Coordinates of all heavy atoms in Angstrom, one line a residue:
M1 N 0.9 -1.2 0.0 CA 0.0 0.0 0.0 C 0.9 1.2 0.0 O 1.8 1.3 0.7 CB -0.9 0.0 1.2 CG -1.9 1.1 1.3 SD -3.2 0.9 2.5 CE -2.3 1.1 4.0
D2 N 0.6 2.2 -0.9 CA 1.3 3.4 -0.9 C 1.0 4.3 0.3 O -0.1 4.4 0.8 CB 1.0 4.2 -2.2 CG 1.4 3.5 -3.4 OD1 2.5 2.9 -3.4 OD2 0.7 3.5 -4.4
K3 N 2.1 4.9 0.8 CA 1.9 5.7 2.0 C 1.6 7.2 1.7 O 2.2 7.8 0.9 CB 3.2 5.7 2.9 CG 3.0 6.2 4.3 CD 4.3 6.1 5.1 CE 4.2 6.7 6.4 NZ 3.5 8.0 6.5
L4 N 0.5 7.7 2.3 CA 0.1 9.1 2.1 C 1.0 10.0 2.9 O 1.2 9.7 4.1 CB -1.3 9.2 2.5 CG -1.9 10.6 2.1 CD1 -2.1 10.7 0.6 CD2 -3.2 10.8 2.9
E5 N 1.6 11.0 2.3 CA 2.4 11.9 3.1 C 1.8 13.3 3.0 O 0.9 13.6 2.1 CB 3.8 12.0 2.5 CG 4.6 10.7 2.6 CD 5.9 10.7 1.9 OE1 5.8 10.4 0.6 OE2 6.9 10.9 2.4
L6 N 2.1 14.2 3.9 CA 1.6 15.5 3.9 C 2.7 16.5 3.6 O 3.8 16.4 4.1 CB 0.9 15.8 5.3 CG -0.2 14.8 5.7 CD1 -0.6 15.1 7.1 CD2 -1.3 15.0 4.7
W7 N 2.4 17.5 2.8 CA 3.4 18.5 2.4 C 2.9 19.9 2.5 O 1.8 20.2 2.1 CB 3.7 18.2 0.9 CG 4.7 19.1 0.3 CD1 5.9 19.6 0.7 CD2 4.4 19.8 -1.0 NE1 6.4 20.5 -0.2 CE2 5.6 20.6 -1.2 CE3 3.4 19.8 -1.9 CZ2 5.7 21.4 -2.3 CZ3 3.5 20.6 -3.1 CH2 4.7 21.4 -3.3
M8 N 3.7 20.8 3.2 CA 3.4 22.2 3.2 C 4.2 22.9 2.1 O 5.4 22.9 2.2 CB 3.7 22.8 4.6 CG 2.8 22.4 5.7 SD 1.0 22.8 5.3 CE 1.0 24.5 5.6
P9 N 3.5 23.3 1.0 CA 4.3 23.8 -0.1 C 5.0 25.1 0.2 O 4.5 25.9 1.0 CB 3.2 24.1 -1.2 CG 1.9 24.0 -0.5 CD 2.1 23.3 0.9
V10 N 6.1 25.3 -0.5 CA 6.9 26.5 -0.4 C 7.1 27.0 -1.9 O 6.8 26.3 -2.8 CB 8.2 26.3 0.3 CG1 8.0 26.0 1.7 CG2 9.0 25.2 -0.4
S11 N 7.6 28.2 -2.0 CA 8.0 28.7 -3.4 C 9.1 27.8 -3.9 O 10.0 27.5 -3.2 CB 8.5 30.1 -3.3 OG 7.4 31.0 -2.9
R12 N 8.9 27.4 -5.2 CA 9.9 26.5 -5.7 C 9.8 26.5 -7.3 O 8.8 26.9 -7.8 CB 9.8 25.0 -5.3 CG 8.6 24.3 -5.9 CD 7.3 24.4 -5.1 NE 6.2 23.8 -5.7 CZ 5.0 24.3 -5.8 NH1 4.7 25.4 -5.2 NH2 4.0 23.6 -6.4
P13 N 10.9 26.1 -8.0 CA 10.8 26.1 -9.4 C 9.8 25.0 -9.9 O 9.7 24.0 -9.2 CB 12.2 25.7 -9.9 CG 13.1 25.7 -8.7 CD 12.2 25.7 -7.5
S14 N 9.1 25.2 -11.0 CA 8.1 24.2 -11.4 C 8.8 22.9 -11.8 O 8.2 21.9 -11.8 CB 7.3 24.8 -12.6 OG 8.2 25.3 -13.6
Y15 N 10.1 23.0 -12.3 CA 10.9 21.8 -12.5 C 12.4 22.2 -12.5 O 12.7 23.3 -12.6 CB 10.5 21.2 -13.9 CG 10.9 22.1 -15.1 CD1 12.1 22.0 -15.7 CD2 10.0 22.9 -15.6 CE1 12.5 22.8 -16.8 CE2 10.3 23.8 -16.7 CZ 11.5 23.7 -17.3 OH 11.9 24.5 -18.3
I16 N 13.2 21.1 -12.3 CA 14.7 21.3 -12.2 C 15.3 20.3 -13.1 O 15.0 19.1 -13.0 CB 15.2 21.2 -10.8 CG1 14.6 22.3 -9.9 CG2 16.7 21.3 -10.8 CD1 15.0 22.2 -8.4
L17 N 16.1 20.7 -14.1 CA 16.8 19.8 -14.9 C 18.3 19.7 -14.5 O 18.9 20.8 -14.3 CB 16.8 20.2 -16.4 CG 15.5 20.0 -17.2 CD1 15.7 20.5 -18.6 CD2 15.0 18.6 -17.1
M18 N 18.8 18.5 -14.3 CA 20.2 18.4 -13.9 C 21.0 17.6 -14.9 O 20.4 16.7 -15.5 CB 20.3 17.7 -12.5 CG 19.8 18.6 -11.4 SD 20.2 17.9 -9.8 CE 18.7 18.2 -8.9
D19 N 22.3 17.8 -15.0 CA 23.1 17.0 -15.8 C 23.6 15.8 -15.0 O 23.2 15.6 -13.9 CB 24.3 17.8 -16.4 CG 25.2 18.3 -15.3 OD1 25.2 17.7 -14.2 OD2 26.0 19.2 -15.6
E20 N 24.4 14.9 -15.7 CA 24.8 13.6 -15.0 C 25.6 13.8 -13.8 O 25.8 12.9 -13.0 CB 25.5 12.7 -16.0 CG 26.8 13.2 -16.6 CD 26.6 14.1 -17.8 OE1 25.5 14.7 -18.0 OE2 27.6 14.3 -18.5
N21 N 26.2 15.1 -13.6 CA 27.0 15.3 -12.4 C 26.2 15.9 -11.3 O 26.7 16.2 -10.2 CB 28.1 16.3 -12.8 CG 29.0 15.8 -13.8 OD1 29.4 14.7 -13.8 ND2 29.3 16.7 -14.8
G22 N 24.9 16.1 -11.5 CA 24.0 16.6 -10.5 C 24.0 18.1 -10.4 O 23.5 18.7 -9.5
S23 N 24.6 18.8 -11.4 CA 24.5 20.3 -11.5 C 23.2 20.7 -12.2 O 22.8 20.1 -13.1 CB 25.7 20.8 -12.3 OG 26.9 20.3 -11.8
V24 N 22.7 21.8 -11.7 CA 21.4 22.3 -12.2 C 21.7 22.9 -13.6 O 22.5 23.8 -13.7 CB 20.8 23.3 -11.3 CG1 19.5 23.9 -11.9 CG2 20.4 22.7 -10.0
V25 N 21.0 22.4 -14.6 CA 21.1 22.9 -16.0 C 20.1 24.0 -16.3 O 20.3 25.0 -16.9 CB 21.0 21.8 -17.0 CG1 21.1 22.3 -18.4 CG2 22.1 20.7 -16.7
E26 N 18.9 23.7 -15.8 CA 17.8 24.6 -16.1 C 16.7 24.5 -15.0 O 16.5 23.4 -14.5 CB 17.2 24.2 -17.4 CG 16.1 25.1 -18.0 CD 15.5 24.6 -19.3 OE1 16.2 24.0 -20.1 OE2 14.3 24.7 -19.4
E27 N 16.1 25.6 -14.7 CA 15.0 25.7 -13.7 C 13.8 26.2 -14.4 O 13.9 27.2 -15.1 CB 15.3 26.5 -12.5 CG 16.3 25.8 -11.5 CD 16.5 26.6 -10.2 OE1 15.8 27.6 -10.0 OE2 17.3 26.1 -9.4
G28 N 12.6 25.6 -14.1 CA 11.4 26.2 -14.7 C 10.9 27.4 -13.9 O 11.5 27.8 -12.9
P29 N 9.9 28.1 -14.4 CA 9.4 29.3 -13.8 C 9.0 29.0 -12.3 O 8.5 27.9 -12.0 CB 8.2 29.7 -14.6 CG 8.2 28.8 -15.8 CD 9.1 27.7 -15.6
E30 N 9.2 30.0 -11.5 CA 8.9 29.9 -10.1 C 7.4 29.7 -9.8 O 6.5 30.3 -10.4 CB 9.3 31.2 -9.4 CG 9.2 31.1 -7.9 CD 10.4 30.7 -7.1 OE1 11.4 30.2 -7.8 OE2 10.5 30.8 -5.9
L31 N 7.0 28.7 -9.0 CA 5.7 28.5 -8.5 C 5.6 29.0 -7.1 O 6.6 28.7 -6.3 CB 5.3 27.1 -8.6 CG 5.1 26.4 -9.9 CD1 4.8 25.0 -9.8 CD2 4.0 27.1 -10.7
T32 N 4.6 29.7 -6.7 CA 4.5 30.2 -5.3 C 3.9 29.1 -4.4 O 3.4 28.0 -5.0 CB 3.5 31.4 -5.2 OG1 2.2 31.0 -5.4 CG2 3.9 32.5 -6.2
D33 N 3.9 29.3 -3.1 CA 3.3 28.3 -2.2 C 1.8 28.1 -2.5 O 1.2 27.1 -2.0 CB 3.6 28.6 -0.8 CG 3.1 30.0 -0.4 OD1 2.7 30.8 -1.3 OD2 3.1 30.3 0.8
K34 N 1.2 29.1 -3.2 CA -0.3 29.0 -3.5 C -0.5 28.1 -4.7 O -1.7 27.7 -5.0 CB -0.9 30.3 -3.7 CG -0.6 31.3 -2.6 CD -1.8 31.5 -1.7 CE -1.6 32.5 -0.6 NZ -0.3 32.4 0.2
E35 N 0.5 27.9 -5.5 CA 0.3 27.2 -6.8 C 0.7 25.8 -6.7 O 1.8 25.4 -6.8 CB 1.1 27.9 -7.9 CG 0.7 29.3 -8.2 CD 1.6 30.0 -9.2 OE1 2.8 30.3 -8.8 OE2 1.2 30.3 -10.3
V36 N -0.3 24.9 -6.4 CA -0.1 23.5 -6.3 C -1.2 22.8 -7.2 O -2.3 23.1 -7.1 CB -0.2 23.0 -4.8 CG1 0.1 21.5 -4.8 CG2 0.8 23.7 -4.0
Y37 N -0.7 21.9 -8.0 CA -1.6 21.3 -9.0 C -1.6 19.7 -8.8 O -0.5 19.2 -8.6 CB -1.3 21.7 -10.4 CG -1.4 23.2 -10.5 CD1 -0.2 23.9 -10.5 CD2 -2.6 23.8 -10.7 CE1 -0.2 25.3 -10.6 CE2 -2.6 25.2 -10.7 CZ -1.5 26.0 -10.7 OH -1.5 27.3 -10.8
C38 N -2.8 19.1 -9.0 CA -2.9 17.7 -8.9 C -2.0 17.0 -10.0 O -2.2 17.4 -11.2 CB -4.3 17.3 -9.0 SG -4.6 15.5 -8.9
D39 N -1.2 16.1 -9.6 CA -0.3 15.4 -10.6 C -1.1 14.4 -11.4 O -0.6 13.8 -12.4 CB 0.9 14.7 -10.0 CG 1.9 15.8 -9.6 OD1 2.3 16.6 -10.4 OD2 2.4 15.7 -8.4
F40 N -2.4 14.1 -11.0 CA -3.2 13.1 -11.7 C -4.2 13.8 -12.7 O -4.3 13.4 -13.8 CB -4.0 12.2 -10.8 CG -3.0 11.3 -10.0 CD1 -2.4 11.7 -8.9 CD2 -2.8 10.0 -10.5 CE1 -1.5 10.9 -8.2 CE2 -1.9 9.2 -9.8 CZ -1.2 9.6 -8.7
C41 N -4.9 14.9 -12.2 CA -5.9 15.5 -13.1 C -5.6 17.0 -13.3 O -6.4 17.7 -14.0 CB -7.3 15.3 -12.5 SG -7.6 16.4 -11.0
N42 N -4.5 17.5 -12.8 CA -4.1 18.9 -13.0 C -5.0 19.9 -12.3 O -4.9 21.1 -12.7 CB -4.0 19.2 -14.5 CG -2.8 20.0 -14.8 OD1 -1.8 19.9 -14.1 ND2 -2.8 20.7 -15.9
A43 N -5.9 19.5 -11.5 CA -6.7 20.5 -10.8 C -5.9 21.3 -9.8 O -4.9 20.8 -9.3 CB -7.8 19.8 -10.0
D44 N -6.4 22.5 -9.5 CA -5.8 23.4 -8.5 C -6.0 22.7 -7.1 O -7.1 22.2 -6.9 CB -6.5 24.7 -8.5 CG -5.7 25.8 -7.8 OD1 -4.7 25.5 -7.3 OD2 -6.2 26.9 -7.8
I45 N -5.0 22.6 -6.3 CA -5.2 22.0 -4.9 C -5.2 23.0 -3.8 O -4.1 23.6 -3.6 CB -4.1 20.9 -4.7 CG1 -4.0 19.9 -5.8 CG2 -4.3 20.3 -3.3 CD1 -2.9 18.8 -5.6
P46 N -6.3 23.3 -3.2 CA -6.4 24.3 -2.1 C -6.1 23.7 -0.8 O -6.2 24.4 0.2 CB -7.8 24.8 -2.2 CG -8.6 23.6 -2.7 CD -7.7 22.8 -3.6
L47 N -5.8 22.4 -0.7 CA -5.7 21.7 0.6 C -4.3 22.0 1.2 O -3.3 22.0 0.5 CB -5.8 20.2 0.4 CG -6.9 19.7 -0.5 CD1 -6.9 18.2 -0.7 CD2 -8.3 20.2 -0.1
R48 N -4.3 22.3 2.5 CA -3.0 22.5 3.3 C -3.2 21.7 4.6 O -4.1 22.0 5.3 CB -2.7 23.9 3.5 CG -2.5 24.8 2.3 CD -1.3 24.3 1.5 NE -1.1 25.2 0.3 CZ -1.7 24.9 -0.9 NH1 -2.5 23.9 -1.1 NH2 -1.5 25.7 -1.9
P49 N -2.3 20.8 4.9 CA -1.2 20.4 4.0 C -1.7 19.6 2.8 O -2.8 19.1 2.8 CB -0.4 19.4 5.0 CG -1.4 18.9 6.0 CD -2.4 20.1 6.2
V50 N -0.8 19.6 1.8 CA -1.2 18.9 0.5 C -0.9 17.4 0.7 O 0.1 17.0 1.1 CB -0.3 19.5 -0.6 CG1 -0.6 18.8 -1.9 CG2 -0.5 21.0 -0.8
P51 N -1.9 16.6 0.3 CA -1.7 15.1 0.3 C -0.8 14.7 -0.9 O -1.0 15.2 -2.0 CB -3.1 14.5 0.1 CG -4.0 15.6 -0.4 CD -3.3 16.9 -0.1
V52 N 0.2 13.9 -0.6 CA 1.2 13.5 -1.6 C 1.4 12.0 -1.5 O 1.5 11.5 -0.4 CB 2.6 14.2 -1.3 CG1 3.7 13.6 -2.2 CG2 2.5 15.7 -1.5
V53 N 1.5 11.3 -2.6 CA 1.7 9.9 -2.6 C 2.8 9.6 -3.7 O 2.7 10.1 -4.8 CB 0.5 9.0 -2.8 CG1 -0.1 9.2 -4.2 CG2 0.7 7.6 -2.4
C54 N 3.9 8.9 -3.3 CA 5.0 8.6 -4.2 C 5.5 9.9 -4.9 O 5.8 9.8 -6.1 CB 4.6 7.5 -5.2 SG 4.1 6.0 -4.4
G55 N 5.5 11.0 -4.2 CA 6.0 12.2 -4.8 C 5.0 13.0 -5.7 O 5.3 14.0 -6.3
S56 N 3.8 12.5 -5.8 CA 2.8 13.1 -6.6 C 1.7 13.8 -5.7 O 1.2 13.1 -4.8 CB 2.1 12.1 -7.5 OG 3.0 11.6 -8.4
A57 N 1.4 15.1 -6.0 CA 0.4 15.8 -5.2 C -1.0 15.3 -5.7 O -1.2 15.0 -6.9 CB 0.6 17.3 -5.4
L58 N -1.9 15.2 -4.8 CA -3.3 14.8 -5.1 C -4.3 15.8 -4.7 O -4.3 16.4 -3.7 CB -3.6 13.5 -4.3 CG -3.0 12.2 -4.7 CD1 -3.3 11.2 -3.6 CD2 -3.4 11.7 -6.0
C59 N -5.4 16.0 -5.6 CA -6.5 16.8 -5.2 C -7.4 15.9 -4.4 O -7.2 14.6 -4.3 CB -7.2 17.4 -6.4 SG -8.1 16.2 -7.4
L60 N -8.5 16.5 -3.8 CA -9.3 15.7 -2.9 C -10.1 14.6 -3.7 O -10.3 13.5 -3.2 CB -10.3 16.6 -2.1 CG -10.9 16.1 -0.9 CD1 -9.9 15.5 0.1 CD2 -11.8 17.1 -0.2
D61 N -10.5 14.9 -4.9 CA -11.3 14.0 -5.7 C -10.4 12.8 -6.0 O -10.9 11.6 -6.0 CB -11.8 14.6 -7.0 CG -12.9 15.6 -6.7 OD1 -13.6 15.5 -5.7 OD2 -13.1 16.6 -7.5
C62 N -9.2 13.0 -6.4 CA -8.3 11.9 -6.8 C -8.0 11.0 -5.6 O -7.9 9.8 -5.6 CB -7.0 12.4 -7.5 SG -7.3 13.0 -9.1
L63 N -7.8 11.7 -4.4 CA -7.5 11.0 -3.2 C -8.7 10.1 -2.8 O -8.5 8.9 -2.4 CB -7.3 12.1 -2.0 CG -7.2 11.5 -0.6 CD1 -5.9 10.7 -0.4 CD2 -7.2 12.6 0.4
K64 N -9.9 10.7 -2.9 CA -11.1 9.9 -2.5 C -11.3 8.7 -3.5 O -12.0 7.8 -3.1 CB -12.3 10.8 -2.5 CG -12.4 11.7 -1.3 CD -13.6 12.5 -1.3 CE -13.8 13.2 0.0 NZ -15.0 14.1 0.0
A65 N -10.8 8.8 -4.7 CA -10.9 7.7 -5.6 C -10.1 6.5 -5.3 O -10.2 5.4 -5.9 CB -10.6 8.2 -7.0
E66 N -9.1 6.7 -4.3 CA -8.2 5.6 -3.9 C -8.6 5.2 -2.4 O -8.1 5.9 -1.5 CB -6.8 6.1 -4.0 CG -6.3 6.4 -5.4 CD -6.2 5.2 -6.3 OE1 -6.0 4.1 -5.8 OE2 -6.3 5.4 -7.5
P67 N -9.4 4.2 -2.2 CA -9.8 3.8 -0.9 C -8.6 3.6 0.1 O -8.7 3.9 1.3 CB -10.5 2.5 -1.1 CG -11.0 2.5 -2.5 CD -9.9 3.3 -3.2
D68 N -7.5 3.0 -0.4 CA -6.3 2.8 0.4 C -5.7 4.0 1.0 O -5.2 4.1 2.1 CB -5.2 2.1 -0.4 CG -5.4 0.6 -0.6 OD1 -6.4 0.1 0.0 OD2 -4.7 0.0 -1.3
L69 N -5.8 5.1 0.1 CA -5.2 6.4 0.6 C -6.2 7.1 1.5 O -5.8 7.6 2.5 CB -4.9 7.3 -0.6 CG -3.8 6.8 -1.6 CD1 -3.7 7.7 -2.8 CD2 -2.5 6.6 -0.9
K70 N -7.5 7.1 1.1 CA -8.5 7.7 1.9 C -8.5 7.1 3.3 O -8.8 7.9 4.3 CB -9.9 7.5 1.2 CG -10.9 8.4 1.7 CD -12.3 8.1 1.0 CE -13.4 8.7 1.8 NZ -14.7 8.2 1.4
A71 N -8.3 5.9 3.4 CA -8.3 5.2 4.8 C -7.2 5.7 5.7 O -7.3 5.6 6.9 CB -8.1 3.7 4.6
Q72 N -6.2 6.4 5.1 CA -5.1 6.9 5.9 C -5.3 8.3 6.4 O -4.5 8.8 7.2 CB -3.8 6.9 5.1 CG -3.3 5.5 4.7 CD -2.1 5.5 3.8 OE1 -1.1 6.1 4.1 NE2 -2.2 4.9 2.6
V73 N -6.4 8.9 6.0 CA -6.7 10.3 6.4 C -7.6 10.2 7.7 O -8.6 9.6 7.7 CB -7.4 11.0 5.3 CG1 -7.7 12.5 5.7 CG2 -6.6 11.0 4.0
T74 N -7.2 11.0 8.7 CA -8.1 11.0 9.9 C -9.3 11.8 9.6 O -9.3 12.7 8.7 CB -7.3 11.7 11.1 OG1 -7.1 13.1 10.7 CG2 -6.0 11.1 11.4
P75 N -10.4 11.5 10.3 CA -11.7 12.3 10.0 C -11.5 13.8 10.2 O -12.1 14.6 9.5 CB -12.6 11.7 11.1 CG -12.1 10.4 11.4 CD -10.6 10.5 11.3
T76 N -10.7 14.2 11.2 CA -10.4 15.6 11.4 C -9.8 16.3 10.2 O -10.2 17.3 9.8 CB -9.5 15.8 12.6 OG1 -10.0 15.0 13.7 CG2 -9.4 17.3 13.0
L77 N -8.8 15.6 9.7 CA -8.1 16.2 8.5 C -9.0 16.2 7.3 O -9.0 17.1 6.5 CB -6.8 15.4 8.2 CG -5.9 15.9 7.1 CD1 -5.5 17.4 7.3 CD2 -4.7 15.0 6.9
M78 N -9.8 15.1 7.1 CA -10.7 15.1 6.0 C -11.7 16.2 6.1 O -12.0 16.9 5.1 CB -11.4 13.7 6.0 CG -12.3 13.5 4.8 SD -11.4 13.6 3.2 CE -10.7 12.0 3.0
R79 N -12.2 16.5 7.3 CA -13.1 17.6 7.5 C -12.5 19.0 7.1 O -13.1 19.8 6.5 CB -13.6 17.7 8.9 CG -15.1 17.5 9.1 CD -15.7 17.7 10.4 NE -14.8 17.5 11.6 CZ -14.7 16.3 12.2 NH1 -15.4 15.2 11.9 NH2 -13.9 16.2 13.3
L80 N -11.2 19.1 7.6 CA -10.5 20.4 7.3 C -10.3 20.5 5.7 O -10.6 21.6 5.2 CB -9.1 20.3 7.9 CG -8.1 21.4 7.6 CD1 -8.6 22.7 8.3 CD2 -6.7 21.1 8.1
W81 N -10.0 19.5 5.1 CA -9.8 19.5 3.6 C -11.1 19.8 2.9 O -11.1 20.6 1.9 CB -9.2 18.2 3.1 CG -7.7 18.1 3.3 CD1 -6.9 19.1 3.6 CD2 -6.9 16.9 3.2 NE1 -5.6 18.6 3.7 CE2 -5.6 17.3 3.5 CE3 -7.2 15.6 3.0 CZ2 -4.5 16.4 3.5 CZ3 -6.2 14.7 3.0 CH2 -4.8 15.1 3.2
E82 N -12.2 19.2 3.4 CA -13.5 19.5 2.8 C -13.8 21.0 2.9 O -14.4 21.6 2.0 CB -14.6 18.7 3.5 CG -14.4 17.2 3.4 CD -15.1 16.6 2.2 OE1 -15.5 17.3 1.3 OE2 -15.2 15.3 2.2
Q83 N -13.5 21.6 4.1 CA -13.8 23.0 4.3 C -12.9 23.9 3.4 O -13.4 24.8 2.8 CB -13.4 23.4 5.8 CG -14.5 23.0 6.8 CD -14.0 23.2 8.2 OE1 -12.9 23.7 8.5 NE2 -14.7 22.7 9.2
Q84 N -11.7 23.5 3.3 CA -10.8 24.3 2.4 C -11.2 24.2 1.0 O -11.2 25.2 0.3 CB -9.3 23.7 2.5 CG -8.7 24.0 3.9 CD -7.4 23.3 4.0 OE1 -7.0 22.4 3.3 NE2 -6.6 23.8 5.0
R85 N -11.7 23.1 0.5 CA -12.2 23.0 -0.8 C -13.4 23.8 -1.0 O -13.6 24.5 -2.0 CB -12.5 21.5 -1.2 CG -12.8 21.4 -2.7 CD -12.9 19.9 -3.1 NE -13.9 19.2 -2.4 CZ -14.3 18.0 -2.8 NH1 -13.7 17.4 -3.8 NH2 -15.3 17.4 -2.2
E86 N -14.3 23.8 0.0 CA -15.5 24.6 -0.1 C -15.3 26.1 -0.1 O -15.9 26.8 -0.9 CB -16.4 24.2 1.1 CG -17.9 24.4 0.9 CD -18.6 23.9 2.1 OE1 -18.6 22.7 2.4 OE2 -19.2 24.8 2.8
E87 N -14.3 26.5 0.7 CA -14.0 27.9 0.8 C -13.4 28.4 -0.6 O -13.8 29.4 -1.1 CB -12.9 28.2 1.8 CG -13.5 28.4 3.2 CD -12.5 28.2 4.3 OE1 -11.3 28.5 4.1 OE2 -12.9 27.8 5.4
K88 N -12.6 27.5 -1.2 CA -12.0 27.8 -2.5 C -13.1 28.0 -3.5 O -13.0 28.9 -4.3 CB -11.0 26.7 -2.8 CG -10.5 26.7 -4.2 CD -9.3 27.6 -4.4 CE -8.9 27.6 -5.9 NZ -7.8 28.4 -6.1
S89 N -14.0 27.1 -3.5 CA -15.1 27.1 -4.6 C -16.0 28.3 -4.4 O -16.6 28.7 -5.4 CB -15.9 25.8 -4.6 OG -16.6 25.7 -3.4
R90 N -16.1 28.9 -3.2 CA -16.9 30.1 -3.0 C -16.2 31.3 -3.6 O -16.8 32.2 -4.0 CB -17.2 30.3 -1.5 CG -18.7 30.1 -1.2 CD -19.0 30.3 0.2 NE -18.7 29.1 1.1 CZ -18.1 29.2 2.2 NH1 -17.7 30.3 2.7 NH2 -18.0 28.1 2.9
I91 N -14.9 31.3 -3.5 CA -14.1 32.5 -3.9 C -14.1 32.5 -5.5 O -14.3 33.6 -6.1 CB -12.6 32.4 -3.4 CG1 -12.6 32.5 -1.9 CG2 -11.8 33.5 -4.0 CD1 -11.3 32.1 -1.2
V92 N -13.9 31.4 -6.1 CA -13.8 31.4 -7.6 C -15.1 31.6 -8.3 O -16.1 31.1 -7.8 CB -13.1 30.0 -8.0 CG1 -13.1 29.9 -9.5 CG2 -11.7 29.9 -7.5
Ligands
ZN1 ZN1 -6.9 15.3 -9.1

């Protein structure tokens, strides 16, 4: 079973390319801590902390589609995420 991890996003390059020596060759445009996208469906992720599995960020819909992952979320955290998603949908 894949382990669900939690991530507090920070400003970072959208991607980093390295050569075989591990030196940075190219960095993508900067993403802010507000810009987090689902690696499965590309949706905007308003959840904090962000659910991550195997290095991929997940939106709430994609997370809920995986019973193994959903089972690792406490009811309190799930409620918080539901609230965050609802607040986000009211603003947009
Ligand atoms: Zn998704």
Side-chain angles (χ1 to χ4, degrees):
M1 183 165 73
D2 293 323
K3 193 179 174 321
L4 187 73
E5 295 170 281
L6 301 174
W7 174 53
M8 284 307 281
V10 291
S11 297
R12 74 272 176 218
S14 53
Y15 63 89
I16 298 174
L17 286 181
M18 289 193 222
D19 63 19
E20 63 275 18
N21 302 316
S23 306
V24 176
V25 178
E26 190 185 320
E27 285 191 2
E30 183 95 349
L31 291 175
T32 71
D33 57 349
K34 307 259 184 309
E35 295 173 293
V36 182
Y37 302 99
C38 178
D39 285 311
F40 292 84
C41 73
N42 221 27
D44 197 359
I45 304 179
L47 318 176
R48 298 294 181 276
V50 178
V52 172
V53 68
C54 300
S56 297
L58 287 173
C59 71
L60 199 52
D61 290 334
C62 290
L63 171 71
K64 284 182 169 178
E66 298 290 335
D68 281 356
L69 296 176
K70 196 181 162 197
Q72 296 176 52
V73 181
T74 63
T76 309
L77 183 55
M78 187 57 84
R79 243 188 333 267
L80 176 70
W81 281 344
E82 301 271 11
Q83 280 170 8
Q84 289 172 342
R85 184 169 67 169
E86 206 175 295
E87 278 162 27
K88 166 88 183 180
S89 65
R90 247 183 276 138
I91 295 164
V92 174

